[in-house]
Amino acid sequence: MESQRPFLRRLVTSVAAVALFCSLFFGWVTLQNRESTLAIRPIAQNVSVPDGFSIWHHLDANGIHFKSITPLNDTLLIKFESSAQSAAAKAVLDKSLPHGYIIAQQDDDSQTAAWLNRLRGTTHRLG
């Protein structure tokens, strides 16, 4: 019985180490694959949201790939694989869209990112 204790101890330690490594690896992968979204809004109420097809045309002509274009209320949301693609699209759309639109880049708040924001400290909150 005593000869099995070192083996069991090593087995438990090995399984715990593998589980820790896997959880850290998947957490890192999740943080690296962050989607990004561009939100296009008209500045004035009498200006309509740009057409999704024209946005697609401008992005495609400049070789910028996107995941989706979705209208939501008075906003057009464009999802990208990364914030680099989103930044490139913002630069293109700033030049190609007429004045009168706000183009805001925002990283998506996935559950992982939301939890990280909660854990980063709340000392800046007052009240």
Side-chain angles (χ1 to χ4, degrees):
M1 187 82 158
E2 288 186 27
S3 63
Q4 290 180 349
R5 284 186 183 172
F7 172 74
L8 288 176
R9 193 174 297 143
R10 280 183 286 189
L11 180 65
V12 169
T13 304
S14 298
V15 169
V18 169
L20 178 64
F21 174 75
C22 287
S23 64
L24 290 174
F25 177 74
F26 288 120
W28 179 77
V29 168
T30 301
L31 290 176
Q32 297 302 312
N33 293 329
R34 293 191 58 189
E35 291 183 339
S36 187
T37 302
L38 272 185
I40 302 174
R41 295 179 192 93
I43 291 175
Q45 290 183 358
N46 59 353
V47 178
S48 63
V49 177
D51 178 21
F53 181 75
S54 65
I55 298 297
W56 171 81
H57 175 71
H58 288 298
L59 296 178
D60 187 54
N62 287 282
I64 299 172
H65 301 284
F66 58 90
K67 292 176 85 173
S68 66
I69 298 178
T70 308
L72 180 67
N73 299 332
D74 290 337
T75 305
L76 193 63
L77 300 174
I78 309 167
K79 292 211 178 268
F80 297 92
E81 295 275 332
S82 68
S83 56
Q85 288 175 329
S86 180
K90 183 178 179 341
V92 166
L93 294 175
D94 279 338
K95 293 177 189 172
S96 59
L97 285 179
H99 296 288
Y101 295 104
I102 298 171
I103 304 171
Q105 182 178 357
Q106 56 194 27
D107 288 332
D108 287 350
D109 284 334
S110 65
Q111 287 185 348
T112 305
W115 277 106
L116 284 176
N117 286 336
R118 288 182 188 174
L119 294 174
R120 283 192 179 139
T122 58
T123 57
H124 65 280
R125 294 183 185 167
L126 300 175

